[in-house]
């Protein structure tokens, strides 16, 4: 289910990229409408009761975003867009996984404690087996080794807890890579754009403000979009890390509580 949601997200973002790719260059239709407006104003004045004439639509934030993205050039904007798609897909997949792994630890411990008080270790194991999440899995491993004594329980909890931690942190390396790579691609595009701008100045032989400003503006757009991708991914990364820390702390608390319950109910070495 999680892989299906991540796959749907990737297809959605690819469709979004396709709409940007097929978007018209800014100024194609709007400039024609603006040029036609003076001609219509020279006609005889219409009655006051007529409907207001339609003017050129104002650019929305999304339209401005598309225009700036196209102005930056596909050579460096496309890798940045790919970084955004991969980063969002990995982040959302981790968020879905961690939310599914989050359980009510207090409620789980109460059910396990009730079974242990009744002397039903197998029932406590069944409660952990039927509960999703790493906390229940760690408790199950501890209960499975309860008959071997407290040392075996602690060793099983620590060993399997390390395995669960590795599963929780799966994919974080690639997310952190995208956080570092997106600004680098933006800076690289800016440097290449600045070099091209100075080449144009050298070829023209004139330091015109129009040539300089236009070239620098296009060059800096790659840095802007690279930083935007890095900021979005960084926020999601910090949320994922905080979620993992929360699950880990609950898992450790539940493991300590399990050992106490086993000792108090004289369940060890049985």
């Amino acid at each position: 289910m999680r892989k299906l949601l991540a796959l749907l997200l990737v297809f959605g973002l690819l469709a979004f990229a396709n709409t940007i790719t097929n978007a018209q260059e800014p100024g194609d239709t709007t400039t024609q409408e603006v040029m036609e407006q003076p001609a219509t104003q020279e006609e005889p004045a219409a009655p006051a009761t007529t409907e207001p004439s339609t003017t050129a639509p104002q650019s929305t934030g999304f339209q401005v975003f598309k225009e700036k993205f196209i102005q930056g050039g596909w050579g460096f904007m496309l890798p940045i867009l790919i970084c955004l798609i991969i980063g969002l897909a990995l982040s959302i997949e981790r968020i879905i996984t961690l939310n599914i792994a989050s359980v009510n630890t207090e409620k789980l411990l109460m059910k396990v404690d009730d079974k242990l008080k009744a002397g039903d270790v197998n029932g406590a194991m069944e409660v952990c087996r039927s509960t999703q999440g790493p906390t229940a899995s760690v408790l199950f491993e501890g209960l499975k080794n309860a008959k071997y004594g407290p040392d075996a329980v602690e060793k099983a909890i620590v060993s399997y807890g390390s395995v669960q931690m590795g599963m929780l942190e799966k994919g974080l390396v690639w997310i952190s890579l995208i956080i570092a790579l997106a600004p680098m691609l933006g800076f690289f595009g800016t440097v290449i754009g600045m070099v091209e701008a100075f080449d144009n100045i050298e070829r023209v032989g004139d330091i015109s403000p129009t040539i300089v400003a236009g070239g620098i503006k296009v060059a800096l757009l790659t840095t802007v979009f690279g930083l935007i991708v890095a900021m979005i991914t960084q926020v999601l990364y910090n949320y994922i890390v905080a979620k993992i820390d929360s699950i880990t702390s609950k898992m450790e608390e539940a493991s300590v509580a399990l050992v106490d319950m086993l000792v108090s109910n004289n369940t060890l070495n049985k």
Side-chain angles (χ1 to χ4, degrees), residues 196-238:
E196 292 179 354
F198 284 111
D199 285 341
N200 293 332
I201 294 173
E202 183 180 8
R203 182 169 55 254
V204 174
D206 181 19
I207 308 179
S208 174
T210 304
I211 298 176
V212 176
I216 294 176
K217 181 189 75 171
V218 173
L220 292 176
L221 285 175
T222 57
T223 298
V224 171
F225 281 92
L227 292 174
I228 290 174
V229 172
M231 287 187 290
I232 294 173
T233 314
Q234 183 69 61
V235 171
L236 296 175
Y237 178 84
N238 289 346

Side-chain angles (χ1 to χ4, degrees), residues 13 24 26 35 54 69-70 74 98 107-108 111 124 126 129 143-144 147 149 155 203 207 222 234 251 261 265 267:
L13 292 174
Q24 294 181 346
M35 292 298 293
T54 58
F69 188 91
I70 295 172
W74 289 103
L98 295 175
K107 185 177 179 180
L108 175 62
K111 292 181 179 180
E126 186 62 28
R129 186 186 291 111
L143 290 170
K144 190 169 66 174
K147 58 185 177 181
K155 183 177 180 181
R203 182 169 55 254
I207 308 179
T222 57
Q234 183 69 61
M251 186 168 57
M261 286 188 292
N265 291 291
T267 310

